[in-house]
Amino acid sequence: MSHTSLSPADIAHAIRNVPDFPKPGIQFKDITPVLADARLFAGAVDLLTQNFKPGSVDAVVGIDARGFIFAAAAAVKLQAGFVPVRKKGKLPYKTHEQDYALEYGTATVAIHVDALKPGSRVLLVDDLLATGGTAAAAAQLVEKLGANILEIGFLIELSFLNGRDKLKGYPIRSLVTY
Ligand code: AMP
């Protein structure tokens, strides 16, 4: 439910392209100007949550690290809990881990074993969908705990990387597509 006249184009204008960060050839999508603008930040959270009423989601799961920012705000708005999926080695308690492929090598994400109740209704959120490996691994962790993913939301989608192919079967929402 959105109470704002803000459009995804307003958000798109604020996203800053940083060439060759963190390495040559990568166009980094810098969302800090969106966060710094109260109207854009609130509008982005409204758009990410617009399919859901407060109380209809049990937990918003955010992906380390920029996903946390939007997921936490969405959780408060939806009167849901917030659950972090973190890079391996950061969570203090017992975890489940999931490996996924990077361009070179692999990475691992983790979730606390008791972070979600079986059957709980989850909105999964990250800032950006690139190849989809990170979100697919996070989705596997959520499902390992027996929770149900209602939707996966991203501020940005790099559609030329075909990340959706790794997320077949999940409703996907992205606000700004390149
Ligand atoms: P992937 O697993 O390839 O979909 O990568 C998604 C993760 O990497 C997200 O958590 C993003 O924050 C980060 N990421 C990948 N590419 C970019 C980019 N061009 N700009 C900013 N963040 C990126």
Side-chain angles (χ1 to χ4, degrees), residues 54-136:
S56 69
V57 171
D58 298 305
V60 183
V61 175
I63 302 178
D64 202 346
R66 289 177 296 278
F68 293 170
I69 301 163
F70 296 99
V76 171
K77 180 160 190 250
L78 294 175
Q79 295 168 19
F82 166 77
V83 170
V85 165
R86 297 212 64 182
K87 286 160 189 148
K88 181 188 162 102
K90 300 284 188 187
L91 288 170
Y93 184 59
K94 280 180 263 176
T95 57
H96 293 303
E97 294 184 351
Q98 182 64 51
D99 297 334
Y100 61 99
L102 298 175
E103 194 179 355
Y104 301 104
T106 62
T108 306
V109 284
I111 197 167
H112 275 150
V113 294
D114 60 354
L116 295 163
K117 291 194 185 76
S120 55
R121 300 160 298 174
V122 166
L123 172 61
L124 180 60
V125 171
D126 201 1
D127 68 323
L128 185 144
L129 173 61
T131 67
T134 311

